[in-house]
Amino acid sequence: MFEGAGWLIVWPVLIPILGAALAAAAWGNERAQSVIGVAGLGAQFIASIALFEHVWSHGVVAMSIGGWQAPFGIALAADTLGAGFTLVGSLVGLIVALHSIGSTDTGHRRAGFFPLLLALMAGVAGAFLTSDIFNLYVWFEVTLISSFGLMVLGGRREQIDGAVKYAFLNLIATTLLLIAIGLLYGLTGTLNIADLSGKVALLPQDSTLETVALLFLVSLGMKAALFPLHFWLPAAYHTPLPTVSAIFAALLTKVGVYALIRVFSLVFPENSDMVRDAMIWVAVATMVLGALGTLAESDIRRFVSFTVVSGVGVMVGGIAIGTELAFLGTIFYFVHSIVISAALFIAVGMIATASKATGIEDLAGLYRRAPFLAVAFLVVGLSLAGVPPLAGFWPKVYLVQAGLEADSTVLVVGILLSGFLMLVAFGRAFCLIFWRPGDDETPAQDAGLLVKGSLGALAAMTFAFGLYCAPLVEVSGRSAAELLSPDPYIFTVLGQPEAARMDGTPTVTPSGAVEAMQ
């Protein structure tokens, strides 16, 4: 490991922060903001590649900000899971930024689109890479504030209405999360996630700890849009600009799901039966009701919002099972969902632009007018439903197998039923929007290279992930194994000597973490 390896974790967070400051300094200059925005997100993507390559080759890397060793200082840490999610998130953020240049007018960009987008991407990367549960809350706040600004760009009445619902319910979730963090700190005296792993294991597994775990499930579940706390998402995600909805759907709910993965694999790995059963039933309700929502919706923007809800349920179902196979399926689905959610909202934006309507009953004949859009929408929709050989098929296979091995029939039925309902919903939407003959036969206005290219790139990614899934399975499998054997992560974050990590004999015990593993 080279001496500056710790800085590899800092750059994916620091670059968009610096970019946001520079873009804000260029306020009013739309061209300069666009250049800074795309360059900043491009640099974040490159930094994410370097971080992932290092983690893949050398293992977990950690850094304590200001020289204060964890658990007393603020620590950043990257294992395969955190580095991989940062890489995929930064790639989709760059694609959405390029799409925004072709899809938004200069007024929106001049009003601060890129400073807010860069701030959002810094918050997402910070959440994926922090090893401190209070700073996880801080990065949630960064994403909330910047996303609120993005949501109201344009100032239409429905945007303000959606933004108020979004901000109000997320503030409730944030308050509950802060209470849960406070209770956990009161029980353990630490906020470092690696340190918590050991200290929580030393606590009595009683109703107090169970209550704290449920409080984390509720607060993070509200941010991830789990049933019955999901209603804010369909009420808010259809109101912003399509490019804003694309980045929201791709990353914001995923930060909540990532936090659930980290908390329930490292801090509360031994869930009580009550917590586990609650997670499974909530996950099944989320995935099925999300799929039913797509069938009931008549507005194409709210239609795709419900697909995001259903996907969250699939991932949380895997977290509830908690085996290596279940985590593998969850992580694979996580990556697939980031790509597919962004693609769907970009496609919906192109549909609205081509037809000047968003009601499914008002749309028809788009296959003749926009054949590229029709093919891309079909590929993305089939992948989301889990049709082989597209990318959505493989993680569902792993999750169904994990559910069968865990004797969780309800989860297996939920995954299969939601997939079937999603296939019916997308088939109906495709037939009505694209296949049904329409009165207008004139070709749709060309969307432009950046808009079509961004949708094509995302659709190609889900196609490629399906046909050649081995690399993604390998990365997901290694991430899952690391979640269930977190010693390297804990030792690295707590600054254990290299020799101790190699022979498994801890020599320093700054907290209860090491004792708990003996």
Side-chain angles (χ1 to χ4, degrees):
M1 181 185 300
F2 70 93
E3 292 183 356
W7 283 95
L8 289 175
I9 314 175
V10 177
W11 291 121
V13 183
L14 187 59
I15 288 172
I17 291 176
L18 295 175
L22 285 173
W27 197 269
N29 188 334
E30 174 270 332
R31 184 179 294 274
Q33 288 192 45
S34 299
V35 170
I36 294 169
V38 172
L41 292 173
Q44 186 195 30
F45 176 54
I46 293 171
S48 301
I49 293 174
L51 173 62
F52 181 80
E53 192 282 330
H54 183 84
V55 170
W56 188 257
S57 302
H58 302 282
V60 182
V61 60
M63 181 180 188
S64 293
I65 305 297
W68 289 83
Q69 182 59 50
F72 306 106
I74 298 173
L76 295 174
D79 54 2
T80 307
L81 182 75
F85 285 175
T86 304
L87 174 60
V88 178
S90 62
L91 173 59
V92 172
L94 177 60
I95 291 174
V96 170
L98 292 170
H99 167 266
S100 69
I101 294 176
S103 63
T104 59
D105 57 38
T106 55
H108 290 123
R109 297 203 293 277
R110 191 179 293 118
F113 173 80
F114 277 107
L116 291 167
L117 178 61
L118 285 160
L120 175 70
M121 293 304 299
V124 170
F128 286 159
L129 297 176
T130 185
S131 181
D132 183 293
I133 203 159
F134 181 76
N135 280 287
L136 179 64
Y137 154 79
V138 172
W139 291 118
F140 266 128
E141 289 304 289
V142 173
T143 60
L144 176 63
I145 293 169
S146 53
S147 61
F148 185 79
L150 285 168
M151 187 168 278
V152 298
L153 277 179
R156 289 182 288 111
R157 184 183 179 87
E158 66 170 355
Q159 285 182 294
I160 304 297
D161 181 61
V164 169
K165 295 173 183 172
Y166 170 79
F168 178 71
L169 292 168
N170 270 278
L171 284 174
I172 293 175
T174 299
T175 303
L176 292 175
L177 177 60
L178 199 55
I179 293 171
I181 291 171
L183 291 173
L184 195 58
Y185 181 75
L187 291 172
T188 61
T190 185
L191 294 169
N192 184 277
I193 293 175
D195 201 26
L196 281 169
S197 176
K199 288 196 170 180
V200 169
L202 295 175
L203 294 174
Q205 304 298 308
D206 56 12
S207 58
T208 302
L209 197 61
E210 200 171 71
T211 302
V212 176
L214 283 173
L215 202 51
F216 271 102
L217 176 61
V218 171
S219 58
L220 296 175
M222 185 178 287
K223 287 187 173 293
L226 269 177
F227 174 83
L229 308 169
H230 69 287
F231 51 87
W232 61 269
L233 194 152
Y237 272 25
H238 70 290
T239 60
L241 302 171
T243 191
V244 172
S245 296
I247 197 70
F248 281 11
L251 295 177
L252 285 190
T253 53
K254 305 304 182 300
V255 174
V257 174
Y258 168 80
L260 285 169
I261 294 174
R262 192 63 84 185
V263 167
F264 284 96
S265 66
L266 203 54
V267 180
F268 303 108
E270 301 297 332
N271 296 325
S272 66
D273 290 341
M274 187 185 79
V275 174
R276 180 177 177 275
D277 290 345
M279 289 182 73
I280 289 178
W281 281 104
V282 166
V284 171
T286 304
M287 66 179 79
V288 173
L289 291 177
L292 288 173
T294 61
L295 281 170
E297 266 304 328
S298 58
D299 185 290
I300 187 64
R301 296 171 303 176
R302 291 176 61 90
F303 172 93
V304 294
S305 297
F306 275 106
T307 66
V308 178
V309 174
S310 184
V312 169
V314 174
M315 289 181 277
V316 174
I319 299 171
I321 296 297
T323 61
E324 186 169 332
L325 189 62
F327 275 126
L328 188 160
T330 299
I331 294 164
F332 194 144
Y333 194 92
F334 191 104
V335 175
H336 149 77
S337 183
I338 287 178
V339 173
I340 220 75
S341 299
L344 274 174
F345 274 98
I346 289 175
V348 165
M350 293 173 67
I351 290 172
T353 302
S355 299
K356 311 299 181 188
T358 58
I360 293 177
E361 293 297 334
D362 301 325
L363 299 166
L366 265 183
Y367 178 77
R368 289 181 179 277
R369 300 180 59 209
F372 170 80
L373 175 59
V375 172
F377 184 87
L378 183 63
V379 169
V380 171
L382 292 177
S383 182
L384 185 69
V387 174
L390 298 168
F393 172 71
W394 302 109
K396 290 190 176 182
V397 169
Y398 289 120
L399 287 169
V400 166
Q401 186 179 347
L404 291 173
E405 290 178 357
D407 292 328
S408 182
T409 307
V410 64
L411 181 65
V412 173
V413 171
I415 292 173
L416 296 177
L417 179 60
S418 63
F420 173 74
L421 293 174
M422 202 67 76
L423 182 61
V424 173
F426 265 98
R428 171 180 171 272
F430 182 82
C431 290
L432 292 176
I433 298 171
F434 294 97
W435 207 254
R436 181 173 53 170
D439 297 331
D440 188 358
E441 295 292 330
T442 58
Q445 183 180 357
D446 187 22
L449 180 62
L450 288 175
V451 175
K452 293 170 71 174
S454 57
L455 177 60
L458 293 168
M461 285 171 67
T462 191
F463 199 73
F465 287 162
L467 288 180
Y468 186 54
C469 64
L472 190 50
V473 170
E474 184 179 2
V475 172
S476 301
R478 176 166 157 174
S479 300
E482 289 177 357
L483 285 173
L484 296 179
S485 300
D487 296 16
Y489 181 90
I490 295 171
F491 281 130
T492 303
V493 172
L494 296 181
Q496 287 291 306
E498 196 71 29
R501 277 186 272 152
M502 293 179 65
D503 64 14
T505 307
T507 57
V508 181
T509 57
S511 68
V514 179
E515 292 97 321
M517 292 186 293
Q518 290 176 325

